[in-house]
Amino acid sequence: MVDYDVIIAGAGTGGSTAAYTLAKRGHSVLLIDRKERYNIGNKTCGDAIGSHHIIELRELTGIPELPKGIVEYDVNGIDLIAPDRDHRLRMEGPTTTGMSFNRLKMGQWFVGQAESAGVEVLASTRVKKLLFDDGKVSGVKVSIEGGPDKDYTARIVVDATGATGVLRMQMPETSPIEQQIASEDRMVAWRDIYETPDFEFETPDYLEIFWNQDETLGGYTWVFPQGKHRVNVGNGVMTIEGHRNPKDIQYDFVKKTWIDTWGEIKVLDSSGGVAPIRRPIDTMVDDNFMLVGDAACQVNPIHGGGIGSSMLGGAHAGIIASEALERNDTSIESLWPYNPRYHKSYGMKQAALDIFRWFLLNITNDDIDFAFKKQIIKASDLLDTSMTGEVKFGAGEKFKRLVAGFGKIPLLLRVSKVAGLMNDIRAVYARYPDSPKGLAAWKEQLVPIYETAKVA
Ligand SMILES: Cc1cc2nc3c(=O)[nH]c(=O)nc-3n(C[C@H](O)[C@H](O)[C@H](O)COP(=O)(O)OP(=O)(O)OC[C@H]3O[C@@H](n4cnc5c(N)ncnc54)[C@H](O)[C@@H]3O)c2cc1C
């Protein structure tokens, strides 16, 4: 006899959505978070999300509309800005309309929805250890603030502890789940939220992303207004060899270039954070065990947004776990369909964008300025690619860009090679195995493509 059908470690957007989905289907769920109940959702974030994620989530789970108080400002598009700051691409489309929101209220709403659906929430409680029975996951050991450690058992345990992946790291060496995330696949970031009484943002409904390889190699600076006199501003960098500390970048480059131009400012919040930046974990399930959200690396590798995809991951995991529980079979084979389901909705695109990430790491400010100026890269390409991870140029369009890009042919050839690799990886994901037996052979097809991408 177990204590719960499912125990979920971490009540962020991923864990809360999985919990909500399962409880709505009649399962008993314990959702545990180390934060105090009133503080769940409080997190370093750019506080922006595309509406398409919320719409997809509603279709999958039937979760109600986000209440008005959560949304701070509607977003109508994103401006991508070249290092020279003279050239920009305005992206306006289904993936770039959305909202900036109050992070704490958003988190509170999600965990509240789970609670109303019947989930038992255990806050101020740290999940310390995975428990095993006969070599298979069987529950968790927790430490409750001010009390003794306690064990809880369940038929399925979900790790939704965010970027740390506390439980993923405790899976045995024999598990097909990767325990560690390479340092080159992480982003570290710093962000501040300011009121700017002296400065008015002219178009607060457009978010701005600035590239500058000399300052934020492979990452970017964001300036996300949250109204005419309020802004969320930060920067993130990949933790590759020689990377700079984003806090130093913030109070040097970002301060000089943006913050100092806003006159007197009032600091509302200031903190750092980490996110995994790569394709999703190759298998997000093992016997009686699942991964959701940042713990499963379900983050967009280009812009680091992961709230929408963690909710999608949570919904897909919840649906598959529910079906497995109903069959009374929570083995890896039975939970396996979560992998292809997630890949189809988001993982395949993530994997292709992971290729593009390496390209962005390997080009110079000069290359980016040139590509923006000569329109070798257009907003419509980036919109298409950000929607599907696919890169499509017709023959005529290829020729036009070849003419425009004359003078930087090697760069053009690299763009074309990267586009090919992105399409190759999509094809590999379309062949994702339908059982764990095919995983090792499938992974062998991935490796050479990523190795080529790293130096393309
Ligand atoms: C600086 C920064 C800016 C970002 N900006 C954006 C943005 O603008 N838009 C966007 O979509 N995404 C953004 N992201 C990414 C986004 O925040 C994450 O992808 C998303 O929150 C992942 O949700 P999650 O539920 O997986 O994890 P989290 O939201 O991190 O939730 C994990 C939960 O687990 C709990 N937990 C951790 N360890 C334990 C433990 N041992 N025991 C119990 N509980 C535990 C934590 O308290 C937390 O509540 C940003 C990330 C960073 C770092």
Side-chain angles (χ1 to χ4, degrees), residues 326-380:
E326 274 156 25
R327 283 192 297 273
N328 206 15
D329 176 2
T330 53
S331 66
I332 182 170
E333 287 83 6
S334 183
L335 297 175
W336 192 258
Y338 169 44
N339 288 317
R341 234 187 118 110
Y342 175 78
H343 294 330
K344 197 169 167 208
S345 79
Y346 202 80
M348 178 191 272
K349 165 177 134 174
Q350 235 187 283
L353 293 177
D354 197 13
I355 303 269
F356 195 65
R357 163 174 83 103
W358 284 103
F359 173 65
L360 281 180
L361 263 175
N362 290 329
I363 54 174
T364 62
N365 279 351
D366 226 27
D367 290 336
I368 305 177
D369 289 340
F370 184 84
F372 272 55
K373 194 159 117 196
K374 299 282 184 179
Q375 296 198 347
I376 290 167
I377 296 175
K378 294 187 180 173
S380 53

Side-chain angles (χ1 to χ4, degrees), residues 10 12-14 33-34 43 45-48 103 127 160-161 189 293-294 304-307:
T13 41
D33 206 288
R34 64 186 174 189
K43 183 172 175 182
C45 189
D47 304 338
R103 188 71 182 81
V127 177
T161 57
D294 282 11
I307 296 173

Side-chain angles (χ1 to χ4, degrees), residues 376 378 381 393 397-405 412:
I376 290 167
K378 294 187 180 173
D381 306 333
F393 300 136
E397 192 57 34
K398 261 189 189 158
F399 180 72
K400 265 199 250 162
R401 299 205 195 180
L402 191 67
V403 173
L412 279 183

Side-chain angles (χ1 to χ4, degrees), residues 129-418:
K129 274 183 119 167
L130 265 180
L131 302 176
F132 292 88
D133 184 8
D134 204 14
K136 293 182 180 171
V137 172
S138 59
V140 292
K141 181 179 284 300
V142 304
S143 93
I144 302 171
E145 226 171 67
D149 287 1
K150 212 169 163 194
D151 291 353
Y152 291 101
T153 57
R155 292 161 75 192
I156 299 175
V157 172
V158 178
D159 184 353
T161 57
T164 45
V166 176
L167 301 182
R168 186 196 68 229
M169 289 197 297
Q170 298 176 29
M171 289 303 280
E173 285 300 317
T174 48
S175 169
I177 290 180
E178 298 138 83
Q179 291 87 21
Q180 302 293 338
I181 305 304
S183 152
E184 65 183 22
D185 292 335
R186 284 179 191 276
M187 178 196 78
V188 284
W190 190 267
R191 80 93 177 83
D192 298 320
I193 302 180
Y194 299 128
E195 264 173 22
T196 62
D198 295 344
F199 182 83
E200 183 168 311
F201 288 91
E202 268 175 36
T203 50
D205 51 337
Y206 283 82
L207 309 181
E208 294 187 320
I209 287 181
F210 297 83
W211 272 309
N212 189 315
Q213 302 291 72
D214 297 341
E215 302 289 345
T216 49
L217 177 62
Y220 61 84
T221 302
W222 71 85
V223 177
F224 291 178
Q226 298 183 323
K228 287 201 180 290
H229 292 284
R230 201 173 129 157
V231 64
N232 178 317
V233 54
N235 77 89
V237 293
M238 233 77 78
T239 53
I240 50 172
E241 210 184 312
H243 76 88
R244 288 180 65 197
N245 179 332
K247 189 174 179 186
D248 295 342
I249 300 172
Q250 185 85 349
Y251 298 123
D252 169 21
F253 169 67
V254 179
K255 183 171 183 301
K256 274 190 282 196
T257 317
W258 290 279
I259 302 171
D260 285 349
T261 67
W262 296 332
E264 198 186 318
I265 46 165
K266 186 172 162 211
V267 184
L268 300 183
D269 196 33
S270 188
S271 55
V274 182
I277 299 283
R278 49 162 274 180
R279 68 181 189 273
I281 294 273
D282 292 331
T283 170
M284 303 179 287
V285 300
D286 199 344
D287 290 319
N288 313 339
F289 187 68
M290 302 177 96
L291 297 168
V292 159
D294 282 11
C297 297
Q298 294 170 340
V299 178
N300 184 305
I302 300 300
H303 57 56
I307 296 173
S309 39
S310 73
M311 297 183 318
L312 284 184
H316 289 307
I319 292 165
I320 296 298
S322 166
E323 290 171 2
L325 287 163
E326 274 156 25
R327 283 192 297 273
N328 206 15
D329 176 2
T330 53
S331 66
I332 182 170
E333 287 83 6
S334 183
L335 297 175
W336 192 258
Y338 169 44
N339 288 317
R341 234 187 118 110
Y342 175 78
H343 294 330
K344 197 169 167 208
S345 79
Y346 202 80
M348 178 191 272
K349 165 177 134 174
Q350 235 187 283
L353 293 177
D354 197 13
I355 303 269
F356 195 65
R357 163 174 83 103
W358 284 103
F359 173 65
L360 281 180
L361 263 175
N362 290 329
I363 54 174
T364 62
N365 279 351
D366 226 27
D367 290 336
I368 305 177
D369 289 340
F370 184 84
F372 272 55
K373 194 159 117 196
K374 299 282 184 179
Q375 296 198 347
I376 290 167
I377 296 175
K378 294 187 180 173
S380 53
D381 306 333
L382 292 173
L383 270 175
D384 282 354
T385 309
S386 70
M387 192 75 181
T388 62
E390 201 174 356
V391 187
K392 287 185 264 181
F393 300 136
E397 192 57 34
K398 261 189 189 158
F399 180 72
K400 265 199 250 162
R401 299 205 195 180
L402 191 67
V403 173
F406 197 73
K408 274 212 186 244
I409 297 293
L411 177 66
L412 279 183
L413 292 176
R414 281 169 69 196
V415 170
S416 162
K417 184 169 179 187
V418 168

